[in-house]
Amino acid sequence: MSSPCGIVLNATVLNAAVRIDELDEEVAGYHEKLMPMIFSMTSDANPTIVKYATNALDCILESMGDAILGYLPQLMERLVALLESGPAEVKPIALSALGSAAHSSGEAFAPYFGGVVARIKQAMALTGEDDVLLLRGVATDTMSTVAEAAGRDAFRPHLDECTRLALQGMEIDSPTLRESAYCYVGVMSRVFEGEFAQYLGVIAPQILQTLRMDESAVFGLGIDEGSEMGGDDDDDEPFNINTAVSDEKEVAADAVGQLFASTTTAFLPYVEEITAELVQLLNHYSDTARKAATVSLFTFIRTFNKIASPEPWMPGVPLRVPVDENTQAMIRLVMPAVLSIWEDEDDKTVVTQLCSELRLIMKDVGPAATIE
């Protein structure tokens, strides 16, 4: 990282960014050596080095914990400067790093909260070409991170305006903005719980629209340019495809579980239709979409059980403490669908997630989860 050769420095900082992303907790232990060098490179004349250095900074900040406090003033000054006047390709990374700084610094972020929120709001309102929409999407996602770090009381004055901007982003023809908005609503519903129910009338229909999106064109004349195809020549490896549409469905499916868990009874008018779409998503070609649907369907069972406030379950068959009617109906719908795909599922991460969810649901509702 101290090399005077631009090519060497460029390659080194790229490698560092990748390693920090993969080993963030381990690398964070070396912050005293790394942070001064990374800081220095964020001021380099080469925009590529600035980009990689800012990305490395974003990754290491997530795991620094209290160690970030000694760097916070210098860090905030530099990140704000990059956001305001840095290279275009660096601005989204600087925004993300601001969210990481808020997450790691906790209460110490309070002096910067107002200024950062104001700048993120500006980015959440941007319109233009793809690079501008990318910045808007990152801003939307980052705002939810800042809100979670600050807490509901501190963020409440900004909730309505920020949510309005996020929902307006959904109306733009951009999968990136819709994904970012779903990430936003998932986190914000967790932060504000029942208070967030006021937005369900707009969010739930949009989620249904995403889950029902037609993907036949993806396999018509060929895979879209934005697709990612996983797999290699090894026939033992599963073949996975990820497209912009499948990614959007994955994020929507993930968010809807959190929405129901957070808003509980206010979400009930949307449960039936969305459950049907999630069950269909269990057979999706994308492994990440299948996994998200699995998690949310089990969350639906868990949430119905939470709403019923049942007595603690007791082991044994027949059931000594029956679950309520709604929970039982959801179990009867979800469990056969999940178990039917388990037999043919070839992705290890999906199987692992399914087993984890089965363990958790049996812990929550006891033998009622499997008795039928």
Side-chain angles (χ1 to χ4, degrees):
M1 286 188 180
S2 302
S3 173
C5 176
I7 296 176
V8 173
L9 183 57
N10 194 24
T12 302
V13 71
L14 172 60
N15 182 274
V18 173
R19 293 293 175 263
I20 292 172
D21 188 33
E22 294 176 348
L23 304 168
D24 53 347
E25 294 184 2
E26 292 83 355
V27 174
Y30 296 89
H31 64 86
E32 292 181 353
K33 294 182 178 180
L34 287 173
M35 289 294 283
M37 290 188 286
I38 295 174
F39 265 131
S40 176
M41 287 184 289
T42 61
S43 301
D44 197 274
N46 185 334
T48 302
I49 291 178
V50 176
K51 176 182 177 181
Y52 293 153
T54 308
N55 189 49
L57 192 62
D58 183 20
C59 294
I60 197 171
L61 288 177
E62 294 181 2
S63 301
M64 285 187 65
D66 291 341
I68 195 178
L69 301 182
Y71 305 100
L72 200 55
Q74 180 186 3
L75 176 65
M76 296 305 298
E77 181 181 355
R78 185 63 192 139
L79 289 176
V80 169
L82 287 171
L83 179 60
E84 292 184 342
S85 57
E89 64 268 28
V90 174
K91 290 184 178 182
I93 308 172
L95 253 180
S96 179
L98 282 170
S100 299
H103 172 76
S104 292
S105 58
E107 294 181 358
F109 192 78
Y112 311 99
F113 174 75
V116 168
V117 167
R119 287 179 173 86
I120 298 176
K121 284 181 182 178
Q122 292 176 356
M124 288 180 70
L126 294 173
T127 57
E129 300 300 323
D130 288 347
D131 58 338
V132 175
L133 295 183
L134 172 61
L135 181 60
R136 176 172 179 162
V138 174
T140 302
D141 197 2
T142 301
M143 188 65 90
S144 64
T145 302
V146 171
E148 190 166 38
R152 73 172 75 184
D153 290 337
F155 196 82
R156 186 175 285 110
H158 308 280
L159 174 62
D160 194 59
E161 181 181 3
C162 292
T163 303
R164 175 177 55 80
L165 289 170
L167 297 180
Q168 286 175 353
M170 285 185 170
E171 299 174 2
I172 299 174
D173 187 16
S174 168
T176 298
L177 289 184
R178 287 192 293 271
E179 285 182 42
S180 299
Y182 289 141
C183 290
Y184 173 92
V185 301
V187 174
M188 297 301 275
S189 67
R190 183 167 65 240
V191 173
F192 285 93
E193 298 181 316
E195 290 182 54
F196 203 72
Q198 60 184 305
Y199 306 107
L200 289 177
V202 177
I203 296 169
Q206 182 65 55
I207 288 176
L208 271 170
Q209 183 176 328
T210 289
L211 294 178
R212 290 169 173 169
M213 288 176 68
D214 181 19
E215 298 181 76
S216 58
V218 172
F219 302 101
L221 299 177
I223 302 299
D224 182 80
E225 291 180 0
S227 305
E228 296 180 6
M229 301 173 65
D232 51 30
D233 294 334
D234 189 345
D235 291 338
D236 293 331
E237 292 296 322
F239 183 77
N240 295 316
I241 300 173
N242 288 85
T243 68
V245 175
S246 70
D247 288 345
E248 184 178 333
K249 288 188 175 185
E250 173 203 344
V251 180
D254 188 57
V256 79
Q258 184 61 61
L259 277 170
F260 187 22
S262 299
T263 59
T264 60
T265 55
F267 193 82
L268 291 177
Y270 313 103
V271 167
E272 183 175 356
E273 286 186 280
I274 288 179
T275 299
E277 298 303 323
L278 290 175
V279 170
Q280 290 294 318
L281 202 61
L282 290 173
N283 295 297
H284 198 269
Y285 59 82
S286 167
D287 57 320
T288 54
R290 297 195 301 275
K291 187 160 60 174
T294 299
V295 172
S296 284
L297 284 169
F298 278 107
T299 300
F300 276 28
I301 297 175
R302 196 172 296 114
T303 303
F304 268 123
N305 192 53
K306 175 184 174 182
I307 292 172
S309 299
E311 296 180 14
W313 61 268
M314 299 177 66
V317 176
L319 291 179
R320 300 165 66 180
V321 182
V323 295
D324 74 292
E325 182 178 346
N326 288 330
T327 304
Q328 187 62 54
M330 186 61 64
I331 290 173
R332 288 173 176 167
L333 178 63
V334 171
M335 291 299 292
V338 168
L339 295 177
S340 68
I341 68 160
W342 192 2
E343 183 176 353
D344 298 323
E345 181 58 64
D346 57 8
D347 186 274
K348 294 177 182 177
T349 64
V350 178
V351 173
T352 300
Q353 188 67 59
L354 194 154
C355 292
S356 176
E357 294 298 325
L358 284 171
R359 179 182 65 84
L360 290 173
I361 203 64
M362 286 188 284
K363 181 179 179 181
D364 287 338
V365 305
T370 57
I371 194 171
E372 295 188 15

